[in-house]
Amino acid sequence: MTDAAYLLVHEDREYLLEPGEEFGTDLGVIEVPEDVAAGDEVETHLGTVFEVRALRGPDLFNHLERTGAPMMPRDVGLVMGHTGAAGGDRVLDAGTGTGILAAYLGRAGADVVTYEVDAEFAEVARENMRTAGVADRVEVRTGDLTDELDALADGEPFDALTLDTGDAPAVVERADDLLAPGGRLAVYSPFVEGTREAALAAREAGFDEVETLETIQREMDFSDRGSRPSTAGVGHTGYLVFARAP
């Protein structure tokens, strides 16, 4: 995998730039060499030095162009951990959005087909996959996955199915037709109602190990007085349903 872009860092400044790109800042104009590589240093015309770094997953979350609220890294981590998606796996995804999850899956070596109903969102996601260096592994299709279920069910089965859509329960009902034996299902939803429907659909479809989690993350505060969880919100992001195909 070769990144189409790199992170250029100077103290608290970070810019996601491509080889050959010119970018103006108050620290000077950055001219990125065509042959730039991670570990290089690039100096602006005012003499400010930026370190060139390879992209990591969190950098994608922070810098890819957004078309809405992307899946948070904490949720991506659970999806990656519970599906076990890895090199050589085939993953079917729906609700591409910005493409954060698809990019993580592609960078783990999986081959991903992802569906996005909004044509403009899909085009942004394609560009984001190119930036993330996974355009050869992640195919972004414009359309509704529910319209393609029959055709996909007749093809080669997938190793994992990941959903972030309002109609996820309808797809879960057909998930056994899409997944290889033992394939993994992951459904993300910001609302508990859709989560319940997806979990019930997985059970009715005969899936094993159906598990529903709420993602809550709290930061820790450390001071001279002591240590305690931060009181700045509960850190809830969403609900996740996981299951294994029979």
Side-chain angles (χ1 to χ4, degrees):
M1 178 182 64
T2 301
D3 291 336
Y6 293 87
L7 199 67
L8 274 74
V9 180
H10 173 79
E11 297 179 352
D12 62 346
R13 301 289 189 92
E14 294 185 352
Y15 301 108
L16 186 63
L17 301 175
E18 300 182 5
E21 185 172 356
E22 183 177 302
F23 185 75
T25 77
D26 61 326
L27 300 176
V29 176
I30 302 172
E31 294 185 6
V32 185
E34 291 284 356
D35 61 349
V36 71
D40 290 349
E41 292 184 343
V42 175
E43 188 173 325
T44 73
H45 82 289
L46 296 179
T48 303
V49 176
F50 280 79
E51 177 189 356
V52 180
R53 297 179 183 174
L55 294 181
R56 308 296 298 175
D59 301 322
L60 301 178
F61 178 82
N62 292 332
H63 295 285
L64 288 184
E65 183 176 349
R66 297 189 179 186
T67 52
M71 187 177 290
M72 297 289 288
R74 70 192 72 165
D75 298 305
V76 172
L78 285 171
V79 171
M80 298 293 290
H82 281 258
T83 62
D89 284 347
R90 299 181 70 245
V91 179
L92 178 60
D93 176 66
T96 316
T98 297
I100 295 296
L101 177 59
Y104 267 89
L105 289 164
R107 289 170 72 86
D111 294 312
V112 184
V113 176
T114 180
Y115 282 81
E116 172 55 54
V117 295
D118 188 297
E120 292 184 3
F121 286 11
E123 189 57 38
V124 170
R126 292 187 190 101
E127 180 63 21
N128 282 341
M129 297 308 101
R130 190 187 70 81
T131 299
V134 294
D136 60 333
R137 292 198 187 118
V138 180
E139 178 187 355
V140 181
R141 297 181 181 178
T142 303
D144 190 331
L145 175 58
T146 58
D147 296 332
E148 305 293 331
L149 293 178
D150 289 337
L152 290 167
D154 289 336
E156 183 180 350
F158 293 88
D159 300 293
L161 172 61
T162 57
L163 304 171
D164 182 6
T165 62
D167 58 3
V171 180
V172 173
E173 292 174 1
R174 297 286 307 278
D176 190 32
D177 298 330
L178 302 169
L179 288 169
R184 297 286 175 165
L185 167 70
V187 181
Y188 172 85
S189 176
F191 304 112
V192 70
E193 291 86 356
T195 304
R196 182 177 187 274
E197 291 180 16
L200 292 176
R203 291 192 177 94
E204 292 174 3
F207 273 62
D208 301 321
E209 301 174 20
V210 180
E211 180 181 22
T212 304
L213 305 175
E214 178 184 12
T215 309
I216 296 178
Q217 181 173 290
R218 294 191 298 175
E219 293 186 6
M220 294 294 294
D221 289 337
F222 300 109
S223 68
D224 293 338
R225 296 179 56 195
S227 307
R228 59 177 292 174
S230 172
T231 57
V234 297
H236 163 88
T237 51
Y239 304 95
L240 286 157
V241 175
F242 299 105
R244 181 173 62 84

Coordinates of all heavy atoms in Angstrom, one line a residue, residues 2 35 49 54 60 78 82 88 92 96 109 111 138 140 142 153 179 190 194 200 209 227 238 246:
T2 N 0.6 2.2 -0.9 CA 1.3 3.4 -1.0 C 0.3 4.6 -0.8 O -0.7 4.7 -1.5 CB 2.0 3.6 -2.4 OG1 2.9 2.5 -2.6 CG2 2.8 4.9 -2.4
D35 N 8.8 13.2 -5.2 CA 9.4 12.0 -4.6 C 9.5 12.0 -3.1 O 10.3 11.2 -2.5 CB 10.8 11.7 -5.2 CG 11.8 12.9 -4.8 OD1 11.3 13.9 -4.3 OD2 13.0 12.7 -5.1
V49 N 10.5 24.2 9.0 CA 10.7 22.8 8.7 C 9.5 22.0 9.1 O 9.1 22.0 10.3 CB 12.0 22.3 9.3 CG1 12.1 20.8 9.0 CG2 13.2 23.0 8.8
A54 N 4.0 9.2 7.4 CA 3.0 8.3 6.8 C 1.7 8.4 7.5 O 1.6 8.7 8.7 CB 3.5 6.9 6.8
L60 N -6.5 9.8 9.2 CA -7.6 9.7 8.2 C -8.9 10.3 8.9 O -9.6 11.1 8.2 CB -7.9 8.3 7.8 CG -6.7 7.6 7.1 CD1 -7.1 6.2 6.7 CD2 -6.2 8.3 5.9
L78 N -13.9 -1.4 17.5 CA -14.8 -2.5 17.9 C -15.2 -3.3 16.7 O -15.2 -4.6 16.7 CB -16.0 -2.0 18.6 CG -15.8 -1.6 20.1 CD1 -17.0 -0.9 20.6 CD2 -15.4 -2.8 21.0
H82 N -14.2 -7.2 16.4 CA -15.2 -8.2 16.4 C -15.4 -9.0 15.1 O -15.9 -10.1 15.1 CB -16.6 -7.6 16.9 CG -16.6 -7.4 18.3 ND1 -17.3 -8.2 19.2 CD2 -16.1 -6.4 19.1 CE1 -17.2 -7.8 20.4 NE2 -16.5 -6.7 20.4
G88 N -6.9 -10.4 2.7 CA -7.5 -11.5 1.9 C -9.0 -11.6 2.1 O -9.7 -12.3 1.4
L92 N -18.4 -6.6 2.7 CA -19.5 -5.9 2.1 C -19.9 -4.9 3.1 O -20.2 -5.2 4.3 CB -20.6 -6.8 1.8 CG -21.9 -6.2 1.2 CD1 -21.6 -5.4 -0.1 CD2 -23.0 -7.2 1.0
T96 N -21.5 4.2 3.4 CA -20.1 4.6 3.3 C -19.8 5.9 4.0 O -18.8 6.0 4.8 CB -19.6 4.8 1.8 OG1 -20.1 3.7 1.0 CG2 -18.1 4.9 1.7
G109 N -6.0 -4.7 4.8 CA -5.7 -5.6 3.7 C -7.0 -6.3 3.2 O -6.9 -7.1 2.2
D111 N -10.5 -6.6 1.0 CA -11.1 -6.1 -0.2 C -12.5 -5.7 0.1 O -13.3 -6.6 0.5 CB -11.0 -7.1 -1.3 CG -9.6 -7.4 -1.8 OD1 -8.8 -6.5 -2.0 OD2 -9.2 -8.6 -1.8
V138 N -10.7 -0.8 -2.1 CA -12.1 -0.3 -1.7 C -12.8 0.2 -2.9 O -12.5 1.2 -3.5 CB -12.0 0.8 -0.6 CG1 -13.5 1.2 -0.3 CG2 -11.3 0.3 0.6
V140 N -16.1 1.9 -4.1 CA -17.3 2.6 -3.7 C -18.3 2.6 -4.8 O -18.1 3.2 -5.8 CB -16.9 4.1 -3.3 CG1 -18.1 4.9 -2.8 CG2 -15.8 4.1 -2.3
T142 N -22.2 3.6 -6.0 CA -23.4 4.5 -5.7 C -24.6 3.7 -5.8 O -24.9 3.1 -6.9 CB -23.4 5.7 -6.7 OG1 -22.1 6.4 -6.6 CG2 -24.5 6.7 -6.4
A153 N -26.2 -12.0 -3.5 CA -26.3 -13.3 -2.9 C -26.0 -14.4 -3.9 O -25.6 -15.6 -3.5 CB -27.8 -13.5 -2.4
L179 N -23.1 -14.0 3.5 CA -21.8 -14.3 4.2 C -21.4 -15.8 4.0 O -22.3 -16.6 3.9 CB -22.0 -14.0 5.7 CG -22.1 -12.5 6.1 CD1 -22.6 -12.4 7.5 CD2 -20.7 -11.9 5.9
P190 N -26.8 5.0 15.7 CA -26.8 6.0 16.7 C -28.0 5.9 17.6 O -28.1 6.5 18.7 CB -26.8 7.3 16.0 CG -27.4 7.0 14.7 CD -27.1 5.6 14.3
G194 N -33.2 1.2 16.1 CA -32.7 0.5 15.0 C -31.8 -0.6 15.4 O -31.7 -1.7 14.8
L200 N -32.7 -8.3 16.7 CA -33.8 -9.3 16.6 C -33.7 -9.9 15.2 O -34.0 -11.2 15.1 CB -35.1 -8.6 16.8 CG -35.4 -8.1 18.2 CD1 -36.8 -7.3 18.2 CD2 -35.5 -9.3 19.2
E209 N -24.0 -16.1 18.4 CA -23.2 -15.1 19.1 C -23.7 -13.6 18.9 O -22.9 -12.7 18.8 CB -21.7 -15.2 18.7 CG -21.1 -16.5 19.0 CD -19.7 -16.7 18.4 OE1 -19.0 -15.6 18.2 OE2 -19.2 -17.8 18.2
S227 N -7.0 11.5 40.8 CA -7.3 11.0 39.5 C -8.8 10.6 39.5 O -9.3 9.9 40.4 CB -6.4 9.9 39.1 OG -5.1 10.2 39.2
G238 N -22.6 5.5 20.1 CA -23.6 4.7 19.4 C -23.7 3.3 19.9 O -23.2 3.0 20.9
P246 N -24.1 -18.7 10.7 CA -24.1 -20.2 11.0 C -23.2 -20.9 10.0 O -22.9 -20.4 8.9 CB -25.5 -20.6 11.0 CG -26.2 -19.6 10.1 CD -25.5 -18.3 10.3

